[in-house]
Amino acid sequence: MSRKPSEAEDGSKEPKDKEEREKAYESKQNELVKMGAMKLVLRVLSYAPGTDSETIRAAVKLGCQLLDGGNAFVQGCMMEYFADPVNNGRKLYLRP
């Protein structure tokens, strides 16, 4: 079966070059943040018991993936989280 050079085995379109792959990756990061992924990361880091290292490691890993490449939108959302009066002054790793 013949397929277009820009289509993967599963029929989905694969980005052709590095720039397109980076844009697609950034778009996915933004999509996850819009669904609340960064808020989840920050809440886990703020409230997870220190003994729950598996959850904390997973949150850190997700946070790193969301910030990978210096995504300015993700950084802005992170700053907005701390600027929100509800979260203002909340420090990571301090337990209430």
Side-chain angles (χ1 to χ4, degrees):
M1 177 172 147
S2 173
R3 62 182 167 96
K4 296 178 187 174
S6 64
E7 289 184 5
E9 302 258 340
D10 64 0
S12 65
K13 292 185 178 181
E14 287 183 359
K16 294 178 184 175
D17 61 12
K18 183 179 178 184
E19 186 176 313
E20 286 184 23
R21 286 192 307 271
E22 288 172 352
K23 284 182 182 180
Y25 186 68
E26 184 176 317
S27 176
K28 186 56 71 177
Q29 288 172 315
N30 294 346
E31 185 179 337
L32 289 168
V33 168
K34 288 175 186 176
M35 291 188 284
M38 184 52 77
K39 285 181 183 178
L40 174 66
V41 167
L42 296 171
R43 287 180 182 153
V44 167
L45 295 177
S46 296
Y47 294 116
T51 56
D52 191 0
S53 61
E54 187 177 339
T55 301
I56 292 170
R57 259 190 241 115
V60 168
K61 187 175 179 179
L62 175 57
C64 288
Q65 289 295 315
L66 293 172
L67 291 165
D68 187 39
N71 188 318
F73 175 74
V74 176
Q75 292 175 29
C77 290
M78 191 174 179
M79 292 304 296
E80 285 176 17
Y81 176 85
F82 288 111
D84 186 329
V86 173
N87 303 312
N88 194 19
R90 186 172 293 155
K91 306 252 188 238
L92 297 178
Y93 303 111
L94 292 181
R95 307 293 177 234

